[in-house]
Amino acid sequence: DVESSSLVGQVKMHNKPTGRPEIQRLFGIAAAEKKHACFFAMAFSADAKTWAEKAGVALFQFRRDGSVLALGSSALARS
């Protein structure tokens, strides 16, 4: 969904939390392109958050009012 010279990102607006498999797919794409991974969603499963923190994937939670919350150390470093 989003790409720059150093980052690939994905944005999802599901009715359920985004799970670990979607985070892992994005991480694989980012690794193949030698870029950082960044994922935006309305909610993440606990497993997705844990895995993203270990892998260094930046997670951002957005809300319907337009506000965005950085989740985990990788997201905080990029915000």
Side-chain angles (χ1 to χ4, degrees):
D1 294 333
V2 180
E3 186 172 0
S4 75
S5 60
S6 63
L7 183 133
V8 291
Q10 196 158 33
V11 180
K12 296 294 180 195
M13 190 169 178
H14 297 305
N15 289 328
K16 61 180 183 170
T18 297
R20 180 182 43 82
E22 288 182 276
I23 308 299
Q24 287 178 309
R25 280 192 289 278
L26 177 65
F27 177 79
I29 292 166
E33 295 185 15
K34 296 182 172 73
K35 296 181 180 183
H36 298 286
C38 177
F39 209 110
F40 293 82
M42 292 190 68
F44 295 94
S45 69
D47 191 33
K49 288 186 229 180
T50 300
W51 194 90
E53 184 68 21
K54 289 178 185 175
V57 176
L59 300 183
F60 295 91
Q61 181 179 355
F62 63 89
R63 300 192 175 123
R64 294 189 189 278
D65 68 2
S67 62
V68 179
L69 176 65
L71 303 176
S73 60
S74 293
L76 290 170
R78 303 212 183 295
S79 57

